[in-house]
Amino acid sequence: MPEALQGRSIDPADEAQLLATIDRWVEREVKTIAKEYDHADRYPEKTVEQMKELGLFGATISPEYGGLGLPAGTYAKIVMRISRDWMAVTGIFNSHLMLALAIEKFGTQDQKDAWLPRLATGEVRGGLALTEPDAGTDLQGIRMTARRDGNGYVINGTKTWISNGIEGSCFALLVKTDPQADPRHKGMSLFIAPKQEGFRVGRKLEKLGYKSIDSGELVFEDYRIPADNLIGGVEGQGFYQATGGLALGRINVAARGVGVAEGALQLAVDYAQVRKTFGKPIAEHQAIQLKIGEMAAKARAARLLTLDAAAKFDSGERCDLEAGMAKLFSTETALENATESLRIHGGYGYSKEFDIERLYRDAPLLCIGEGTNEMQRIIIARQLVKQGGLPT
């Protein structure tokens, strides 16, 4: 049987209508404010309210809990479209949906009933709290502990680089319930952690790009939480629960990469037709055509790789390999296209007056987040060796 969120489909006409709605919203409400909000690093409160109305906070949550129940392919197309103009706002609901996925996929029925309807409407918003100062890709290196105390747990430690950390209200929190466990992953558990006494935001982390979405440091000091908030109700399952959404998470990041790659390409094409040198538009110079041709081919390949991974996810099949390849190629393409587009813009590309500088600052994050691209290469190679080569 397919796991949670897999095996879904959507009528093509319904998908087209939904994507047309998203397109109109992006053109009218998102594209028009992206530059101002990005430069000010201002949280887009009005945009968040609009995303609630569009149902984006429940995009992948099952309809029985009030969500849209979208398949991964449709969700990826939404992320691609928004990211063409402003990637950062997709992080506000992407991270949130990873929290919802952890609950829907691994939570008890009581946990699903209590949390998913409120997550679907955006009444409760949050994300994943996994990373620590000394533990990023190596999740087993976390130090945050949860000690059993009567009918609950007492949690102490610090998380960092947590998306929605300041504006969000609830997080899937990865801790060690048995610090002495060997292997280490058997001592890890995942909790639903709402903001309350003992949970505070340490500071907002300033970033090169990916502005307007808050990235925070979260501090837990004698934070007491009921045992009912242990996802799944059994200790020692946290590592598998935290990594159980990696395929969908990587498809999401790949979709962001596609959006940035396509957005950078479009900006380059538009600019190359109005900028003139030596008496003609630079789009007529072979040097520029060579750049645009390669950018276009790579952007298209990135889209197809991402939709291929999403299709396999939606069919209910395992897609670690496909999701890893999509994430790797799409995010590297985003970085390459943003760089080439900036160079096509020349000196104006280095100006904050032009949108390409935002895409240029946003793109590097994609090569780091949701598993570094160095790690993706290793995962892809190991999968290929394990299965004896590429699938036919």
Side-chain angles (χ1 to χ4, degrees):
M1 291 291 290
E3 296 182 352
L5 276 70
Q6 291 187 275
R8 292 176 173 175
S9 62
I10 187 172
D11 183 272
D14 291 339
E15 182 186 71
Q17 184 177 13
L18 174 60
L19 294 175
T21 299
I22 294 296
D23 193 63
R24 288 192 296 271
W25 171 65
V26 171
E27 287 294 322
R28 295 173 184 172
E29 305 290 347
V30 178
K31 189 174 183 177
T32 54
I33 67 168
K35 185 186 300 179
E36 174 190 349
Y37 275 70
D38 172 83
H39 290 172
D41 197 8
R42 186 190 313 164
Y43 189 72
E45 294 181 2
K46 182 180 177 182
T47 304
V48 170
E49 292 303 312
Q50 292 168 348
M51 290 193 293
K52 286 182 183 178
E53 294 174 10
L54 288 166
L56 291 179
F57 287 104
T60 58
I61 297 174
S62 295
E64 64 188 285
Y65 301 110
L68 298 181
L70 298 178
T74 304
Y75 182 56
K77 291 175 186 177
I78 290 173
V79 173
M80 290 174 188
R81 178 61 192 92
I82 299 172
S83 296
R84 288 183 66 173
D85 288 301
W86 195 11
M87 184 193 82
V89 295
T90 67
I92 295 175
F93 59 86
N94 275 341
S95 299
H96 167 91
L97 289 168
M98 291 300 101
L99 161 64
L101 173 60
I103 296 173
E104 184 163 358
K105 188 173 182 180
F106 301 108
T108 65
Q109 192 59 53
D110 285 345
Q111 290 168 345
K112 296 174 187 180
D113 292 339
W115 292 98
L116 291 177
R118 291 188 289 160
L119 289 168
T121 62
E123 173 194 343
V124 174
R125 290 184 287 108
L128 293 178
L130 310 179
T131 305
E132 296 185 9
D134 295 318
T137 299
D138 178 20
L139 281 182
Q140 296 186 66
I142 65 168
R143 298 180 181 178
M144 178 173 283
T145 60
R147 173 178 54 84
R148 188 66 190 247
D149 182 34
N151 294 324
Y153 292 83
V154 178
I155 297 176
N156 285 281
T158 300
K159 296 292 183 182
T160 192
W161 293 113
I162 308 305
S163 297
N164 296 326
I166 297 168
E167 299 291 340
S169 57
C170 183
F171 299 84
L173 183 67
L174 187 65
V175 304
K176 284 192 172 177
T177 43
D178 181 3
Q180 307 306 317
D182 185 25
R184 294 178 297 169
H185 68 265
K186 290 189 174 181
M188 302 169 73
S189 301
L190 195 65
F191 285 88
I192 303 169
K195 283 184 176 176
Q196 60 186 42
E197 184 178 356
F199 176 169
R200 64 181 176 84
V201 176
R203 62 190 174 112
K204 177 182 177 180
L205 298 166
E206 301 294 332
K207 307 183 295 291
L208 168 69
Y210 201 44
K211 304 280 190 177
S212 294
I213 178 175
D214 50 309
S215 300
E217 180 182 76
L218 308 182
V219 181
F220 296 81
E221 298 170 321
D222 292 333
Y223 173 74
R224 295 180 177 272
I225 195 168
D228 288 344
N229 284 35
L230 172 63
I231 294 180
V234 179
E235 290 185 11
Q237 301 300 306
F239 181 78
Y240 297 108
Q241 294 168 348
T243 58
L246 284 181
L248 184 60
R250 286 172 181 159
I251 290 169
N252 288 339
V253 174
R256 291 195 219 180
V258 172
V260 172
E262 292 180 345
L265 170 63
Q266 188 63 54
L267 291 174
V269 170
D270 292 345
Y271 182 77
Q273 293 179 82
V274 297
R275 173 74 166 116
K276 293 182 178 181
T277 62
F278 304 103
K280 59 183 179 181
I282 63 173
E284 296 182 18
H285 292 301
Q286 191 176 66
I288 300 300
Q289 292 171 351
L290 291 172
K291 289 179 181 292
I292 289 175
E294 184 164 0
M295 291 167 66
K298 287 186 174 180
R300 182 63 176 169
R303 172 176 280 266
L304 294 175
L305 270 173
T306 302
L307 293 178
D308 175 63
K312 193 163 187 180
F313 181 94
D314 287 330
S315 73
E317 298 178 68
R318 183 171 177 174
C319 60
D320 322 42
L321 178 64
E322 291 78 7
M325 289 193 293
K327 193 273 181 185
L328 169 64
F329 188 83
S330 297
T331 58
E332 292 291 343
T333 297
L335 183 57
E336 292 169 14
N337 276 16
T339 302
E340 288 302 304
S341 183
L342 184 141
R343 295 175 72 172
I344 289 171
H345 280 73
Y348 288 110
Y350 208 61
S351 166
K352 295 180 76 172
E353 295 179 14
F354 283 71
D355 290 327
I356 186 56
E357 65 88 27
R358 179 176 67 256
L359 275 66
Y360 181 76
R361 287 184 288 104
D362 285 348
L365 171 68
L366 299 172
C367 299
I368 301 168
E370 204 69 34
T372 65
N373 280 358
E374 289 72 21
M375 184 58 67
Q376 297 307 314
R377 291 179 173 94
I378 293 171
I379 292 170
I380 292 166
R382 288 177 176 172
Q383 286 285 333
L384 285 175
V385 170
K386 184 178 179 181
Q387 66 187 34
L390 283 171
T392 56

